[in-house]
Amino acid sequence: MGYLEPTSTQGSRTIPVFQKVLEMARGGFSLDTTGLTVGDTIPAGTPMVFDEATRKAKKATLTGTAPNETSDAKGLLYTDVKIEANAPVDVVLRGTVYARRVTPTINAAHKKALPLIIFSESR
């Protein structure tokens, strides 16, 4: 893994999103595009949920209302992914992410659902 990988494209530059990755979900997944717009990009660090049996992954969702929201997140998206049929997806289960570099900002309920991810506030 190179120093600047994985990165997220924001505007005209790419920036590292993860400080350290200790564990990823094995085998990778295909993106479930249900409810997503083909051609858009899901940025690295987005909370994700996956199904080991179907090998499909999708964006995590929140249920309930603040401050009692709950998340179904199981990890964070490793790199930017362009939304298309069966796009490959890798999910980080344990590691450190630069929280300020993830856009949009990760909701507190998602953070609570991911106890093995450290959300670093360093730049």
Side-chain angles (χ1 to χ4, degrees):
M1 181 172 5
Y3 174 74
L4 292 178
E5 291 187 29
T7 60
S8 177
T9 303
Q10 294 184 358
S12 61
R13 65 185 194 142
T14 57
I15 57 171
V17 175
F18 288 93
Q19 184 179 33
K20 189 174 214 174
V21 174
L22 298 172
E23 183 180 3
M24 295 183 63
R26 293 182 181 255
F29 301 92
S30 294
L31 181 64
D32 180 350
T33 59
T34 305
L36 301 175
T37 304
V38 174
D40 284 354
T41 300
I42 302 173
T46 299
M48 301 292 288
V49 62
F50 55 86
D51 185 334
E52 296 271 0
T54 63
R55 306 307 299 171
K56 291 281 190 179
K58 62 183 180 177
K59 290 173 69 174
T61 57
L62 295 170
T63 55
T65 56
N68 299 318
E69 288 180 313
T70 58
S71 169
D72 61 355
K74 292 185 177 181
L76 297 178
L77 185 62
Y78 184 58
T79 58
D80 290 354
V81 172
K82 185 174 181 179
I83 300 170
E84 57 190 19
N86 298 317
V89 174
D90 292 310
V91 179
V92 175
L93 301 176
R94 191 164 62 108
T96 303
V97 64
Y98 291 110
R100 292 180 182 194
R101 298 180 185 181
V102 176
T103 21
T105 303
I106 300 172
N107 183 291
H110 287 312
K111 289 180 181 181
K112 185 177 179 182
L114 300 169
L116 300 178
I117 302 282
I118 296 169
F119 296 89
S120 171
E121 291 298 327
S122 61
R123 296 178 191 254

